[in-house]
Amino acid sequence: MLPIKLTVAPNSYPMISVDPPWELFGDFLSIEWTAEKASRVLNAVESVLKGHQAEAAFERDYAKLKITHVDSTARVWIALLYSDDYKQCDMPLKMFRDICEVWLEFVKTHRPPEPIEVEPPYEEFGEFVKMKFPLEEAKQLMATVDSVVKGEKRHAEVFQGWAKITLTHDDMTAHMWIDPTCETEPSQPDMPLLKFRDICRDWLDFMKTVESPGPINNSSHKYRSGPDFG
């Protein structure tokens, strides 16, 4: 039996914890909470374990993972909050492979719900809002919308790559152009500004819950300088 525990967080995100002395591997894998991310890690582990490549490495905000074929070892580093120090842990690569396999199957069957769902004909507004990450960008969008709703600004423009949304206080409407250089009529149906504000608020609330999904939410780990893989 593998030394792991699989659970689902209150925000519907899959979580994994690994028994001592390998707790850090649970912290790292909890960052890889989608099937796509978990698959990339497992594929790399398989490739190294079979000798197809000598080593592989993953770096995240405050965590690093290195796997090597020569000693069949997985090593993870987690940087510590309020310190330039970090914790380090090694695990036999075959054990890590087995854990990764179980984790992948678990996240496949425990996908979190869509963060926001926007009904027709306003789907593009939803896609626009979901591009506002990380959390700071979601906060900035919310602040801009609120300022127009309250009349602190009469007009504001928000850009996101392929699209532009203009917010107007006078008619309390959000107007959207798919081509931000377009100066003709909006290319999407106008959305009531209060409805758009509700979507932005839902997205901000969602981002607050998943900025650091899984056990990392309550851990004492945070990336600073961290170690070199060396």
Side-chain angles (χ1 to χ4, degrees):
M1 181 178 295
L2 293 172
I4 63 175
K5 181 180 180 181
L6 301 169
T7 56
V8 177
N11 60 13
S12 301
Y13 275 73
M15 298 167 56
I16 180 172
S17 59
V18 183
D19 293 344
W22 302 293
E23 303 100 311
L24 299 187
F25 285 92
D27 284 351
F28 182 87
L29 285 178
S30 292
I31 308 171
E32 312 300 304
W33 51 265
T34 68
E36 293 76 17
K37 292 180 178 180
S39 292
R40 284 196 292 269
V41 175
L42 177 59
N43 290 339
V45 172
E46 290 280 13
S47 180
V48 172
L49 195 57
K50 295 175 181 178
H52 296 162
Q53 59 188 95
E55 63 182 36
F58 293 85
E59 296 194 38
R60 300 297 180 249
D61 286 346
Y62 45 77
K64 298 184 178 183
L65 169 72
K66 182 178 182 181
I67 47 183
T68 55
H69 177 74
V70 65
D71 56 3
S72 293
T73 298
R75 173 171 296 168
V76 68
W77 293 265
I78 301 286
L80 300 181
L81 182 65
Y82 306 128
S83 172
D84 289 331
D85 201 2
Y86 58 89
K87 290 184 178 181
Q88 173 181 316
C89 182
D90 291 355
M91 174 185 284
L93 195 51
K94 289 184 179 179
M95 178 189 290
F96 187 55
R97 186 268 315 277
D98 294 343
I99 291 175
C100 288
E101 286 181 340
V102 174
W103 176 238
L104 174 58
E105 291 306 310
F106 187 71
V107 300
K108 282 181 178 178
T109 56
H110 294 80
R111 292 177 177 270
E114 278 293 313
I116 56 174
E117 295 183 10
V118 181
E119 296 180 355
Y122 304 120
E123 305 99 309
E124 293 296 340
F125 284 89
E127 294 305 311
F128 182 100
V129 171
K130 285 189 285 187
M131 292 300 293
K132 290 299 180 182
F133 61 85
L135 179 60
E136 191 57 38
E137 287 201 25
K139 288 180 177 179
Q140 290 174 0
L141 176 62
M142 188 74 250
T144 299
V145 175
D146 268 337
S147 68
V148 176
V149 169
K150 296 173 182 177
E152 297 168 354
K153 293 181 180 179
R154 311 301 296 184
H155 176 271
E157 293 184 339
V158 187
F159 294 87
Q160 184 60 55
W162 42 264
K164 176 181 78 172
I165 291 179
T166 63
L167 313 169
T168 55
H169 177 77
D170 291 344
D171 61 2
M172 294 293 284
T173 301
H175 314 270
M176 185 175 192
W177 286 262
I178 293 297
D179 180 357
T181 64
C182 181
E183 298 297 336
T184 59
E185 292 298 312
S187 55
Q188 299 296 310
D190 292 343
M191 172 178 274
L193 189 55
L194 293 180
K195 182 182 287 289
F196 185 64
R197 181 185 63 179
D198 290 343
I199 293 173
C200 293
R201 182 180 291 122
D202 289 345
W203 177 246
L204 177 59
D205 290 343
F206 172 78
M207 288 300 297
K208 287 178 179 178
T209 67
V210 301
E211 181 74 1
S212 298
I216 301 297
N217 273 331
N218 299 315
S219 78
S220 60
H221 305 140
K222 187 175 181 181
Y223 176 72
R224 283 183 176 273
S225 58
D228 292 328
F229 278 123

